Amino acid sequence: MEEKKPLAADMNHYYDQFMDLLKEAGKAEPGYAKALMEFVKQAEKPGALSTKIKELMSIALGITAHCPYCIAFHTKNAIKEGATRQEILESALVAGLMGGGPAVAYIRYVIDACDQFGAK
């Protein structure tokens, strides 16, 4: 009997939907998306903590907030910043610890994002 692999969430779709939302919000209120992305940039710029560490923290917070859009966005950015699959998954496990059973379920999105965005 062939083992079935669980269906993966389309994390590229979540990422694209989020980026489209920003575009639509910008049409409704010019400057909104720009201000939001500047806020993200300022919050995650390197300081005492690197951008990579801040992206890993954002993944964990996205898990506890039950936000697949956040998970997609920050996992893609963490990989871009050099985070490994192991680092990403460890940050997800800490989120599971702090967020309990419902947060653990959202680790599935992180695994799918790692697979789809090419985490090494």
Side-chain angles (χ1 to χ4, degrees), residues 21-56:
L21 165 67
L22 292 178
K23 197 180 309 176
E24 291 299 317
K27 288 178 188 174
E29 183 60 45
Y32 182 87
K34 183 179 178 186
L36 177 62
M37 293 312 292
E38 182 61 27
F39 182 51
V40 170
K41 181 179 169 185
Q42 289 300 312
E44 293 188 340
K45 71 181 179 183
L49 299 174
S50 69
T51 300
K52 179 178 91 168
I53 295 299
K54 292 177 180 184
E55 289 292 355
L56 293 170

